[in-house]
Amino acid sequence: MNLSSTPGPLAGFTVAVTAERRREELAALLERRGARVVLAPAITIVPLRDDQALHAATAACVGLAPEIVVATTGIGFRGWLEAAEGWGMGDPLRAALGRARLIARGAKPCGAIRAADLSEDWSAATESSEEILERLLAQGIAGRRIAVQLHGGPQSELTDALRAAGAAVVEIPVYRWTLPPDITPVRRLVTQLTAGQIDAVTFTSAPAVRGLLDIAGDEAGQVLDAFRGPAMAACVGPVTAASLVQQDVPVVMPHRSRLGALVKTVTDELPRRTPKLSVAGDTLEIRGHAVLIDGRVQPLAPAAMAILGSLSARPGAVVSKERLVASLPRGTDGHAVDVAIARLRTALGGGGHIETVIKRGYRLRVDEPA
């Protein structure tokens, strides 16, 4: 048998990455743990220097002379200042920010504010816009001029509530997202998801969730069903997960909204979800595109993997050829099942893992519990 002796914790799993920014870093972290990674950026970033909406919003912010400025992300705040420098608006913007009360949504924007030789008035410990909104409403903001640095898209729940409380609000659309110019990788991901070939999809921003579903189009419902079934939706934090949660999709997320924490969550959670069976004296752990035999990895072809998945769903029970035919990626006939069974037996070592039941079908020879 061609078995790997030291598999990573994600060996046998296929994990998709929908991020554009830092996608290589995220992919490398997952691959280092043994995962097969599918890159399918669902969004692309509008270059700051070319972003006329940001240019206009920066001019409006300087003209507004805001009393309060909300910084939501560190990279967004830094990018805003860098873009303003490129347009020759750096000094007026810094002067406006220096006169305002700066509120940070957590440690990263707080660090970016200090790196710009500015000082924050307050930082939200929970890193949430809800905490910022609650504090500002409690202080009273009627007639106040407030600038809100966005990141990736509108934050209407925050900005609408500020306006409803009587504030004059200017939104700063730093790092606006659009759909990628080439949606082929995402369309391929949609096909793989609906075919049950993806074990987990990682999301690092709410726009990436929207981008995937927008590109899925008429198949968006099937994508959501996949997340409600075999595929795991892994989100970096509650803001990213919100639209999925609203559609009754279960998600996993780390306690801290960090890339490394997201990878750890995927690494911990995926193996917990896989069936483990004692079959013919061996422990089988059935993963997305491979089976672990006593902790060693044996890759399987899609047909053999589908057959093993059907048999393991009913361990010890006879599964008819008709049911196994229906489980094949390209369902054909009973002969295709026999061929896949033969190859599966070889991959499992040629032992008595799979028992033939004449004229009825096949079953896994599950060991009796001790």
Side-chain angles (χ1 to χ4, degrees):
M1 288 182 289
N2 179 25
L3 300 175
S4 171
S5 58
T6 55
L10 293 178
F13 292 116
T14 301
V15 182
V17 172
T18 60
E20 180 188 55
R21 193 176 68 86
R22 299 179 71 185
R23 64 183 181 274
E24 290 86 2
E25 179 184 353
L26 179 53
L29 289 171
L30 292 166
E31 288 173 342
R32 200 173 301 152
R33 288 157 177 79
R36 175 189 292 174
V37 175
V38 172
L39 290 176
I43 51 175
T44 190
I45 301 172
V46 177
L48 292 181
R49 290 289 298 271
D50 301 333
D51 194 337
Q52 294 305 309
L54 177 59
H55 186 282
T58 302
C61 178
V62 172
L64 180 70
E67 299 165 89
I68 299 170
V69 175
V70 178
T72 59
T73 62
I75 187 173
F77 190 81
R78 289 193 300 272
W80 182 23
L81 292 176
E82 290 167 4
E85 292 284 352
W87 296 323
M89 300 171 64
D91 289 342
L93 176 59
R94 286 176 181 274
L97 295 175
R99 291 189 293 267
R101 289 172 49 207
L102 301 182
I103 293 178
R105 194 183 68 177
K108 288 191 174 181
C110 185
I113 289 170
R114 295 177 184 178
D117 291 328
L118 298 167
S119 299
E120 79 281 0
D121 180 74
W122 176 76
S123 177
T126 62
E127 302 185 359
S128 70
S129 297
E130 290 78 5
E131 184 181 1
I132 292 174
L133 178 61
E134 182 179 344
R135 181 181 179 89
L136 291 177
L137 293 180
Q139 293 175 348
I141 53 173
R144 297 286 186 180
R145 302 182 302 279
I146 302 177
V148 179
Q149 171 248 313
L150 309 178
H151 188 87
Q155 295 182 15
S156 55
E157 289 187 7
L158 173 60
T159 55
D160 289 353
L162 294 175
R163 290 188 177 103
V169 179
V170 59
E171 299 173 54
I172 312 298
V174 183
Y175 288 105
R176 288 190 301 120
W177 311 112
T178 64
L179 294 182
D182 180 10
I183 64 171
T184 303
V186 183
R187 289 296 314 165
R188 190 179 302 119
L189 172 59
V190 169
T191 299
Q192 293 173 300
L193 263 173
T194 56
Q197 298 170 359
I198 299 293
D199 299 298
V201 179
T202 59
F203 297 102
T204 58
S205 68
V209 176
R210 293 194 297 271
L212 173 62
L213 297 177
D214 286 349
I215 293 171
D218 293 340
E219 296 177 271
Q222 294 173 256
V223 169
L224 293 173
D225 285 342
F227 287 135
R228 298 184 187 109
M232 183 177 78
C235 299
V236 76
V239 174
T240 300
S243 65
L244 290 174
V245 172
Q246 290 167 4
Q247 297 179 83
D248 297 320
V249 170
V251 301
V252 298
M253 68 183 94
H255 293 299
R256 286 179 59 78
S257 300
R258 301 290 184 268
L259 209 61
L262 175 62
V263 172
K264 185 178 187 304
T265 296
V266 172
T267 303
D268 291 344
E269 188 63 28
L270 270 182
R272 290 193 192 123
R273 297 175 171 229
T274 58
K276 300 175 182 66
L277 301 170
S278 180
V279 180
D282 291 328
T283 299
L284 302 188
E285 183 175 339
I286 297 148
R287 298 190 169 187
H289 63 264
V291 59
L292 268 64
I293 307 172
D294 292 332
R296 298 166 297 174
V297 178
Q298 175 63 58
L300 295 176
M305 199 72 230
I307 293 290
L308 183 57
S310 294
L311 293 174
S312 66
R314 303 177 64 197
V318 177
V319 181
S320 68
K321 275 193 178 182
E322 290 75 15
R323 186 183 292 270
L324 294 176
V325 167
S327 73
L328 290 175
R330 299 175 183 84
T332 52
D333 54 23
H335 176 68
V337 169
D338 293 337
V339 171
I341 288 285
R343 291 174 177 170
L344 181 56
R345 280 177 167 148
T346 299
L348 296 181
H353 301 85
I354 300 173
E355 180 182 355
T356 303
V357 181
I358 302 300
K359 294 185 179 179
R360 293 179 61 195
Y362 299 93
R363 67 183 171 196
L364 280 178
R365 204 185 81 189
V366 181
D367 300 332
E368 293 293 329

